[in-house]
Amino acid sequence: MEVEQASSRIGEIAALQGEVTDTGAMTVRCTNYDSEENVYRVRHPWSFHQVPLAAMEEAMERLRTGLPEEGWKIVKDGVDDSPAQSPQIVAESEGQEYAVDLRLLDERKYGDDPSLIEVTVVSACYRSK
């Protein structure tokens, strides 16, 4: 799947050595269309974990500079709207075929959960035949 290829390239830009949790890409219905239409998108959520927080912060910086070099336009670079206000980068691919949402979840703000970089790549909506 092309979404998984985009995800792989994002992983290469991040250049983190650690564990990757990958649920695999899945097809989901686009919610902004009539439910009787066959309009879908592909969603690929995964994460980096078992990496020191400082290395994850460096990876976010590599993504911040590397994504534009690879044809991605950063449309948000700040914090998310969670109580922890996690660092978040949202980018769209050239031509907007894909979008990626990257969040650094810091274990110091989430209690017992380990730090991780949460990555979600989604395709544009498409009509199935």
Side-chain angles (χ1 to χ4, degrees), residues 22-37:
D22 187 350
T23 59
M26 62 193 90
T27 302
V28 296
R29 188 176 298 277
C30 285
T31 57
N32 53 340
Y33 290 87
D34 182 341
S35 63
E36 296 194 20
E37 293 185 62

Side-chain angles (χ1 to χ4, degrees), residues 20-95:
V20 174
T21 301
D22 187 350
T23 59
M26 62 193 90
T27 302
V28 296
R29 188 176 298 277
C30 285
T31 57
N32 53 340
Y33 290 87
D34 182 341
S35 63
E36 296 194 20
E37 293 185 62
N38 293 322
V39 181
Y40 301 94
R41 70 176 44 195
V42 178
R43 184 174 186 273
H44 187 211
W46 57 281
S47 64
F48 287 109
H49 60 97
Q50 302 295 320
V51 180
L53 182 59
M56 289 184 191
E57 291 169 337
E58 291 169 4
M60 289 291 280
E61 189 57 38
R62 283 190 293 275
L63 289 160
R64 186 173 285 112
T65 58
L67 286 170
E69 293 172 357
E70 295 284 329
W72 293 78
K73 178 183 178 187
I74 294 178
V75 296
K76 179 178 181 184
D77 188 356
V79 295
D80 67 12
D81 59 0
S82 72
Q85 295 197 321
S86 298
Q88 179 185 29
I89 299 170
V90 177
E92 295 174 346
S93 67
E94 198 171 285

